[in-house]
Amino acid sequence: MGVDIDRFRPLESKTTVPDAAIRAVSVARLNRAKGHEYFLEAMARLVADGIDLRYTIAGEGSYRASIEEVVRRLNLGDRVTLLGAISEERVLALLGESDFLVLSSFGYGEAAPVAVMEAMACGLPVICSRIGGTADMIEDGKDGLLVAQQDVDGLERAARILATDPLERERLARAARQTACRKFDYRVTAAQLAGVIRTSLAAARS
């Protein structure tokens, strides 16, 4: 897996929005295992503390009605937007409008999430569950923030950092881009795969 880091890259100037809210984004199918509800619970706590946080969810799926019910229960209807399925162009624009990405998945359904690679390539800090290969993708506190699965307290702490500390948000953003260029560039990952194949073929022939 890899991403085109020339296409997914930080904007020269961040897309302007008509308010000063902090904007979180998720790009994931609407499935229970993606854990949207856990971040919504964390978000509600931050909003109750007076933090102006907005959350946009891109993706579609069978869990949409359940997510909408959680949004209603937490009184977040004016702060959460469900976009449904969107194009890659819209994903790029959405990342450019956002301050950080959230992937709060749980269970066994992730390997190396492409949404995380794309966000980091765009210079977006990421809050991510420890699931699948995410601990190999992100070094906690250096180029992103890792939390335990289904950990509302952990999500709240991580989101509070990114929502209230612009210098830390920017530091993680720069580090995320550097990691993406070093580890997720499709040319790098393709060369690594080719090397494994060559080694395997050589071993088989011998």
Side-chain angles (χ1 to χ4, degrees):
M1 301 297 292
V3 295
D4 184 349
I5 63 168
D6 296 327
R7 178 169 170 73
F8 286 87
R9 60 182 301 121
L11 298 177
E12 291 185 7
S13 58
K14 194 164 186 65
T15 305
T16 57
V17 290
D19 56 59
I22 297 298
R23 300 184 184 282
V25 62
S26 290
V27 182
R29 69 186 184 279
L30 304 187
N31 180 286
R32 183 170 183 272
K34 293 295 182 179
H36 296 93
E37 64 193 277
Y38 300 106
F39 183 71
L40 288 167
E41 295 278 359
M43 176 183 175
R45 297 179 186 179
L46 299 178
V47 170
D49 285 345
I51 295 173
D52 190 3
L53 181 60
R54 311 297 171 96
Y55 183 30
T56 301
I57 302 171
E60 194 55 86
S62 60
Y63 206 59
R64 184 185 184 103
S66 297
I67 293 172
E68 290 172 338
E69 176 55 35
V70 174
V71 170
R72 283 192 294 270
R73 174 172 60 80
L74 296 172
N75 296 315
L76 294 174
D78 60 340
R79 294 178 174 275
V80 177
T81 303
L82 277 71
L83 294 179
I86 62 174
S87 67
E88 186 177 275
E89 288 294 333
R90 184 68 184 97
V91 169
L92 271 167
L94 183 60
L95 294 175
E97 297 165 2
S98 302
D99 294 294
F100 63 90
L101 179 124
V102 179
L103 182 70
S104 47
S105 298
F106 66 96
Y108 301 97
E110 302 286 1
V114 173
V116 170
M117 295 185 194
E118 291 176 345
M120 292 177 71
C122 287
L124 220 58
V126 172
I127 300 172
C128 191
S129 303
R130 294 182 183 273
I131 182 171
T134 59
D136 296 321
M137 301 169 69
I138 295 168
E139 186 174 345
D140 184 38
K142 181 178 179 181
D143 50 19
L145 298 172
L146 292 170
V147 300
Q149 296 182 25
Q150 301 172 290
D151 182 3
V152 175
D153 291 342
L155 289 166
E156 179 191 352
R157 285 192 296 270
R160 189 180 296 275
I161 290 169
L162 296 182
T164 62
D165 190 339
L167 293 178
E168 180 68 357
R169 193 167 65 238
E170 178 59 28
R171 183 188 70 79
L172 289 170
R174 289 195 301 269
R177 172 64 182 179
Q178 291 168 358
T179 295
C181 291
R182 188 176 72 254
K183 295 171 64 173
F184 307 146
D185 183 345
Y186 75 94
R187 290 159 292 204
V188 172
T189 57
Q192 290 171 339
L193 177 59
V196 171
I197 293 171
R198 282 193 294 268
T199 300
S200 298
L201 288 173
R205 292 189 184 114
S206 63

Coordinates of all heavy atoms in Angstrom, one line a residue, residues 58-128:
A58 N -17.0 11.6 6.3 CA -17.1 11.2 4.9 C -17.2 9.7 4.8 O -16.4 9.0 5.4 CB -16.0 11.7 4.0
G59 N -18.2 9.1 4.1 CA -18.3 7.7 3.9 C -19.8 7.3 4.1 O -20.6 8.1 4.6
E60 N -20.1 6.2 3.6 CA -21.5 5.7 3.7 C -21.5 4.2 4.2 O -20.5 3.5 4.1 CB -22.2 5.8 2.3 CG -23.7 5.7 2.3 CD -24.3 6.6 3.2 OE1 -24.6 7.8 2.9 OE2 -24.6 6.2 4.4
G61 N -22.7 3.8 4.7 CA -22.7 2.4 5.1 C -24.0 2.2 6.0 O -24.8 3.1 6.2
S62 N -24.1 0.9 6.4 CA -25.3 0.5 7.1 C -25.5 1.1 8.5 O -26.6 1.0 9.1 CB -25.3 -1.0 7.2 OG -24.2 -1.5 7.9
Y63 N -24.4 1.7 9.0 CA -24.5 2.2 10.4 C -24.8 3.6 10.5 O -24.8 4.2 11.5 CB -23.1 2.0 11.0 CG -23.1 1.8 12.5 CD1 -23.8 0.8 13.2 CD2 -22.4 2.7 13.3 CE1 -23.9 0.7 14.6 CE2 -22.4 2.6 14.7 CZ -23.1 1.6 15.3 OH -23.2 1.5 16.7
R64 N -25.2 4.2 9.4 CA -25.5 5.6 9.3 C -26.6 6.0 10.3 O -26.5 7.0 11.1 CB -26.0 6.1 7.9 CG -26.2 7.6 7.8 CD -26.7 8.0 6.4 NE -26.8 9.4 6.3 CZ -25.9 10.2 5.7 NH1 -24.9 9.7 5.0 NH2 -26.1 11.5 5.6
A65 N -27.7 5.3 10.3 CA -28.8 5.7 11.2 C -28.4 5.6 12.7 O -28.8 6.5 13.5 CB -30.0 4.7 11.0
S66 N -27.5 4.7 13.1 CA -27.0 4.6 14.4 C -26.2 5.8 14.8 O -26.2 6.3 15.9 CB -26.3 3.3 14.6 OG -27.1 2.2 14.4
I67 N -25.3 6.2 13.8 CA -24.5 7.4 14.1 C -25.3 8.6 14.2 O -25.1 9.4 15.1 CB -23.5 7.5 12.9 CG1 -22.5 6.4 13.0 CG2 -22.7 8.9 13.1 CD1 -21.5 6.3 11.8
E68 N -26.3 8.7 13.4 CA -27.2 9.9 13.5 C -28.0 9.9 14.8 O -28.2 11.0 15.4 CB -28.3 9.8 12.3 CG -27.6 10.1 11.0 CD -28.6 9.9 9.8 OE1 -29.6 9.1 10.0 OE2 -28.4 10.5 8.7
E69 N -28.3 8.8 15.3 CA -29.0 8.7 16.7 C -28.0 9.1 17.8 O -28.4 9.9 18.7 CB -29.5 7.3 16.9 CG -30.1 7.1 18.3 CD -31.2 8.0 18.6 OE1 -32.0 8.4 17.7 OE2 -31.3 8.5 19.8
V70 N -26.7 8.7 17.7 CA -25.7 9.2 18.7 C -25.6 10.7 18.6 O -25.5 11.4 19.6 CB -24.4 8.5 18.4 CG1 -23.3 9.0 19.4 CG2 -24.5 7.0 18.7
V71 N -25.5 11.2 17.4 CA -25.4 12.7 17.2 C -26.6 13.4 17.9 O -26.4 14.4 18.6 CB -25.3 13.0 15.7 CG1 -25.4 14.5 15.5 CG2 -24.0 12.5 15.1
R72 N -27.8 12.9 17.7 CA -29.0 13.5 18.3 C -28.9 13.4 19.8 O -29.2 14.4 20.6 CB -30.2 12.8 17.8 CG -30.6 13.3 16.4 CD -32.0 12.8 16.1 NE -32.1 11.3 16.0 CZ -31.9 10.6 14.9 NH1 -31.6 11.3 13.7 NH2 -32.0 9.3 14.8
R73 N -28.5 12.2 20.3 CA -28.5 12.0 21.8 C -27.5 12.9 22.5 O -27.7 13.4 23.6 CB -28.1 10.5 22.1 CG -27.9 10.2 23.5 CD -27.7 8.8 23.8 NE -26.6 8.2 23.1 CZ -25.3 8.3 23.5 NH1 -25.0 8.9 24.6 NH2 -24.4 7.7 22.9
L74 N -26.4 13.2 21.8 CA -25.4 14.1 22.3 C -25.5 15.6 22.0 O -24.7 16.4 22.4 CB -24.0 13.6 21.8 CG -23.6 12.2 22.3 CD1 -22.3 11.8 21.6 CD2 -23.4 12.1 23.8
N75 N -26.6 15.9 21.3 CA -27.0 17.3 20.9 C -25.8 17.9 20.1 O -25.4 19.1 20.3 CB -27.2 18.1 22.2 CG -28.5 17.7 23.0 OD1 -29.5 17.4 22.4 ND2 -28.3 17.5 24.3
L76 N -25.3 17.1 19.2 CA -24.2 17.6 18.3 C -24.7 17.9 16.9 O -23.9 18.0 16.0 CB -23.1 16.6 18.3 CG -22.4 16.4 19.6 CD1 -21.4 15.2 19.5 CD2 -21.7 17.7 20.1
G77 N -26.0 18.0 16.7 CA -26.5 18.1 15.3 C -26.0 19.3 14.5 O -25.9 19.2 13.3
D78 N -25.7 20.4 15.2 CA -25.2 21.6 14.5 C -23.7 21.5 14.4 O -23.2 22.5 13.8 CB -25.7 22.8 15.3 CG -25.1 22.9 16.7 OD1 -24.8 21.8 17.2 OD2 -25.0 24.0 17.3
R79 N -23.1 20.5 14.8 CA -21.6 20.4 14.8 C -21.1 19.2 14.0 O -19.9 19.2 13.7 CB -21.0 20.4 16.2 CG -21.2 21.6 17.0 CD -20.7 21.5 18.4 NE -20.8 22.8 19.1 CZ -19.9 23.8 19.0 NH1 -18.8 23.6 18.3 NH2 -20.1 24.9 19.7
V80 N -21.9 18.3 13.6 CA -21.5 17.1 12.9 C -22.2 17.0 11.6 O -23.4 17.2 11.4 CB -21.9 15.8 13.7 CG1 -21.5 14.6 13.0 CG2 -21.2 15.8 15.1
T81 N -21.4 16.8 10.5 CA -21.9 16.7 9.2 C -21.5 15.3 8.6 O -20.4 14.9 8.6 CB -21.3 17.8 8.3 OG1 -21.6 19.0 8.8 CG2 -21.8 17.7 6.9
L82 N -22.5 14.6 8.1 CA -22.3 13.3 7.4 C -22.5 13.6 5.9 O -23.5 13.9 5.4 CB -23.3 12.3 7.9 CG -23.0 11.5 9.2 CD1 -23.2 12.4 10.4 CD2 -23.9 10.3 9.3
L83 N -21.4 13.4 5.2 CA -21.3 13.8 3.8 C -21.8 12.6 2.9 O -22.1 12.9 1.7 CB -19.9 14.2 3.4 CG -19.4 15.5 4.0 CD1 -18.0 15.7 3.4 CD2 -20.3 16.7 3.6
G84 N -21.7 11.4 3.4 CA -22.0 10.3 2.5 C -20.7 10.0 1.7 O -19.6 10.5 2.0
A85 N -20.8 9.1 0.7 CA -19.7 8.8 -0.2 C -19.3 10.0 -1.0 O -20.1 10.7 -1.5 CB -20.1 7.6 -1.1
I86 N -18.0 10.2 -1.1 CA -17.5 11.4 -1.8 C -16.3 11.0 -2.7 O -15.7 9.9 -2.5 CB -17.0 12.5 -0.9 CG1 -15.9 12.1 0.0 CG2 -18.2 13.0 -0.1 CD1 -15.3 13.2 0.9
S87 N -16.0 11.8 -3.7 CA -14.9 11.5 -4.6 C -13.6 11.8 -4.0 O -13.5 12.4 -3.0 CB -15.1 12.4 -5.9 OG -14.9 13.8 -5.5
E88 N -12.5 11.3 -4.7 CA -11.2 11.5 -4.2 C -10.9 13.0 -4.2 O -10.2 13.5 -3.3 CB -10.2 10.8 -5.1 CG -8.7 10.9 -4.6 CD -7.7 10.1 -5.4 OE1 -7.6 8.9 -5.2 OE2 -7.1 10.7 -6.3
E89 N -11.4 13.7 -5.2 CA -11.2 15.2 -5.3 C -11.8 15.9 -4.1 O -11.2 16.8 -3.5 CB -11.8 15.8 -6.6 CG -11.1 15.5 -7.8 CD -9.7 16.1 -7.9 OE1 -9.5 17.2 -7.3 OE2 -8.8 15.6 -8.6
R90 N -13.0 15.4 -3.7 CA -13.6 16.0 -2.5 C -12.9 15.6 -1.2 O -12.8 16.4 -0.3 CB -15.1 15.5 -2.4 CG -15.8 16.2 -1.3 CD -16.0 17.7 -1.5 NE -16.7 18.3 -0.3 CZ -16.1 18.9 0.7 NH1 -14.8 19.0 0.7 NH2 -16.8 19.4 1.7
V91 N -12.3 14.4 -1.2 CA -11.5 14.0 0.0 C -10.3 15.0 0.1 O -10.0 15.5 1.2 CB -11.0 12.5 -0.2 CG1 -9.9 12.2 0.9 CG2 -12.1 11.6 0.0
L92 N -9.6 15.2 -1.0 CA -8.5 16.2 -0.9 C -8.9 17.5 -0.4 O -8.2 18.1 0.4 CB -7.9 16.3 -2.4 CG -6.8 15.3 -2.8 CD1 -6.6 15.4 -4.3 CD2 -5.5 15.6 -2.0
A93 N -10.0 18.0 -0.9 CA -10.5 19.3 -0.5 C -10.9 19.3 1.0 O -10.6 20.2 1.8 CB -11.7 19.8 -1.3
L94 N -11.5 18.2 1.4 CA -11.9 18.1 2.8 C -10.7 18.0 3.8 O -10.7 18.7 4.8 CB -12.8 16.8 3.0 CG -13.3 16.5 4.4 CD1 -14.3 17.6 4.8 CD2 -14.1 15.2 4.3
L95 N -9.7 17.3 3.4 CA -8.5 17.3 4.2 C -7.9 18.7 4.3 O -7.3 19.1 5.3 CB -7.5 16.3 3.6 CG -7.9 14.8 3.7 CD1 -6.8 14.0 3.0 CD2 -8.1 14.3 5.1
G96 N -7.9 19.4 3.2 CA -7.4 20.8 3.2 C -8.2 21.8 4.1 O -7.7 22.8 4.5
E97 N -9.5 21.4 4.3 CA -10.3 22.3 5.2 C -10.2 21.9 6.7 O -10.8 22.6 7.5 CB -11.8 22.1 4.8 CG -12.1 22.6 3.3 CD -13.4 22.1 2.9 OE1 -14.1 21.4 3.6 OE2 -13.8 22.4 1.7
S98 N -9.6 20.8 7.0 CA -9.6 20.2 8.3 C -8.4 20.4 9.1 O -7.3 20.7 8.5 CB -9.9 18.7 8.2 OG -11.1 18.4 7.5
D99 N -8.5 20.3 10.4 CA -7.3 20.5 11.3 C -6.7 19.1 11.8 O -5.5 19.1 12.1 CB -7.8 21.3 12.5 CG -8.2 22.7 12.2 OD1 -7.3 23.4 11.7 OD2 -9.4 23.0 12.3
F100 N -7.5 18.1 11.8 CA -6.9 16.8 12.2 C -7.9 15.7 11.7 O -9.1 15.9 11.6 CB -6.6 16.6 13.6 CG -7.7 16.7 14.6 CD1 -8.4 15.6 15.0 CD2 -8.0 17.9 15.2 CE1 -9.4 15.7 16.0 CE2 -9.1 18.0 16.1 CZ -9.8 16.9 16.5
L101 N -7.4 14.5 11.5 CA -8.2 13.3 11.1 C -8.3 12.4 12.3 O -7.4 12.2 13.1 CB -7.5 12.6 10.0 CG -8.2 11.3 9.5 CD1 -8.6 11.4 8.0 CD2 -7.4 10.0 9.8
V102 N -9.4 11.7 12.4 CA -9.7 10.7 13.5 C -10.0 9.4 12.8 O -10.8 9.3 11.9 CB -10.9 11.1 14.3 CG1 -11.2 10.1 15.4 CG2 -10.7 12.5 15.0
L103 N -9.4 8.3 13.3 CA -9.7 7.0 13.0 C -9.8 6.2 14.3 O -8.8 5.8 14.9 CB -8.7 6.3 12.0 CG -9.1 4.9 11.6 CD1 -10.3 4.9 10.7 CD2 -7.9 4.2 11.0
S104 N -11.0 6.0 14.8 CA -11.2 5.4 16.1 C -11.7 4.0 16.0 O -12.6 3.5 16.7 CB -12.2 6.2 16.9 OG -13.3 6.6 16.2
S105 N -11.2 3.2 15.0 CA -11.6 1.8 14.8 C -11.3 0.9 15.9 O -10.4 1.2 16.7 CB -11.0 1.3 13.5 OG -11.3 2.1 12.4
F106 N -12.1 -0.2 16.0 CA -11.8 -1.2 17.0 C -12.0 -2.6 16.4 O -12.6 -2.7 15.3 CB -12.6 -1.1 18.2 CG -14.1 -1.3 18.0 CD1 -14.7 -2.5 18.3 CD2 -14.9 -0.2 17.6 CE1 -16.0 -2.7 18.1 CE2 -16.3 -0.4 17.4 CZ -16.8 -1.6 17.7
G107 N -11.4 -3.6 17.0 CA -11.6 -5.0 16.5 C -10.3 -5.4 15.7 O -9.2 -5.1 16.1
Y108 N -10.6 -6.0 14.5 CA -9.5 -6.5 13.7 C -9.6 -6.1 12.3 O -9.0 -6.6 11.4 CB -9.5 -8.1 13.7 CG -9.3 -8.7 15.1 CD1 -10.5 -9.1 15.8 CD2 -8.1 -8.8 15.7 CE1 -10.3 -9.6 17.1 CE2 -8.0 -9.3 17.0 CZ -9.1 -9.7 17.7 OH -8.9 -10.2 19.0
G109 N -10.4 -5.0 12.0 CA -10.7 -4.7 10.6 C -9.8 -3.7 9.9 O -10.1 -3.2 8.9
E110 N -8.6 -3.4 10.5 CA -7.7 -2.5 9.9 C -6.3 -3.2 9.7 O -5.9 -4.0 10.5 CB -7.5 -1.2 10.7 CG -8.8 -0.4 11.0 CD -9.3 0.3 9.8 OE1 -8.7 0.2 8.7 OE2 -10.3 1.0 10.0
A111 N -5.6 -2.8 8.6 CA -4.3 -3.2 8.4 C -3.4 -2.0 8.4 O -2.8 -1.6 9.5 CB -4.1 -4.0 7.1
A112 N -3.3 -1.3 7.3 CA -2.6 -0.1 7.2 C -3.5 0.9 6.5 O -3.6 1.0 5.3 CB -1.3 -0.2 6.3
P113 N -4.3 1.6 7.3 CA -5.4 2.4 6.7 C -5.0 3.5 5.7 O -4.1 4.3 6.0 CB -6.1 3.0 7.9 CG -5.7 2.2 9.1 CD -4.3 1.7 8.7
V114 N -5.5 3.4 4.5 CA -5.1 4.4 3.5 C -5.5 5.8 3.9 O -4.8 6.8 3.6 CB -5.7 4.0 2.1 CG1 -5.5 5.1 1.1 CG2 -5.2 2.7 1.6
A115 N -6.7 6.0 4.6 CA -7.1 7.3 5.0 C -6.0 7.9 5.9 O -5.8 9.2 5.8 CB -8.4 7.2 5.8
V116 N -5.4 7.1 6.7 CA -4.3 7.7 7.6 C -3.1 8.1 6.8 O -2.6 9.2 7.0 CB -3.9 6.6 8.6 CG1 -2.6 7.1 9.4 CG2 -5.0 6.4 9.6
M117 N -2.7 7.3 5.8 CA -1.6 7.7 4.9 C -1.9 9.0 4.2 O -1.1 9.9 4.1 CB -1.4 6.6 3.9 CG -0.9 5.3 4.5 SD -0.5 4.1 3.1 CE -0.4 2.6 4.0
E118 N -3.2 9.1 3.6 CA -3.5 10.3 2.9 C -3.5 11.5 3.7 O -3.0 12.6 3.3 CB -4.9 10.1 2.2 CG -4.9 9.0 1.1 CD -6.2 8.7 0.5 OE1 -7.3 9.1 1.1 OE2 -6.3 8.1 -0.6
A119 N -4.1 11.4 4.9 CA -4.1 12.6 5.8 C -2.7 13.0 6.2 O -2.4 14.2 6.2 CB -4.9 12.2 7.1
M120 N -1.8 12.0 6.6 CA -0.5 12.4 7.0 C 0.3 13.0 5.8 O 1.1 13.9 6.0 CB 0.2 11.1 7.5 CG -0.3 10.7 8.8 SD 0.4 9.1 9.5 CE 2.1 9.8 10.0
A121 N 0.1 12.5 4.6 CA 0.7 13.0 3.4 C 0.3 14.5 3.2 O 1.0 15.3 2.7 CB 0.4 12.2 2.2
C122 N -1.0 14.8 3.6 CA -1.5 16.2 3.5 C -1.1 17.0 4.6 O -1.5 18.2 4.7 CB -3.0 16.1 3.3 SG -3.6 15.5 1.8
G123 N -0.2 16.5 5.5 CA 0.2 17.3 6.6 C -0.8 17.5 7.7 O -0.9 18.6 8.3
L124 N -1.7 16.5 7.9 CA -2.7 16.6 8.9 C -2.4 15.7 10.1 O -2.1 14.5 9.9 CB -4.0 16.1 8.3 CG -5.3 16.8 8.6 CD1 -5.2 18.3 8.2 CD2 -6.5 16.2 7.9
P125 N -2.4 16.2 11.3 CA -2.2 15.4 12.5 C -3.3 14.3 12.5 O -4.5 14.6 12.1 CB -2.3 16.3 13.6 CG -2.2 17.7 13.1 CD -2.7 17.6 11.7
V126 N -3.0 13.1 13.0 CA -3.9 12.0 13.1 C -4.1 11.5 14.5 O -3.1 11.3 15.2 CB -3.5 10.9 12.2 CG1 -4.3 9.6 12.3 CG2 -3.5 11.3 10.7
I127 N -5.3 11.3 14.9 CA -5.6 10.6 16.1 C -6.1 9.2 15.7 O -7.1 9.1 14.9 CB -6.7 11.2 17.0 CG1 -6.3 12.6 17.4 CG2 -7.1 10.4 18.2 CD1 -7.4 13.4 18.1
C128 N -5.5 8.1 16.1 CA -5.7 6.8 15.6 C -5.7 5.8 16.7 O -4.9 5.8 17.6 CB -4.7 6.5 14.5 SG -5.0 5.1 13.5

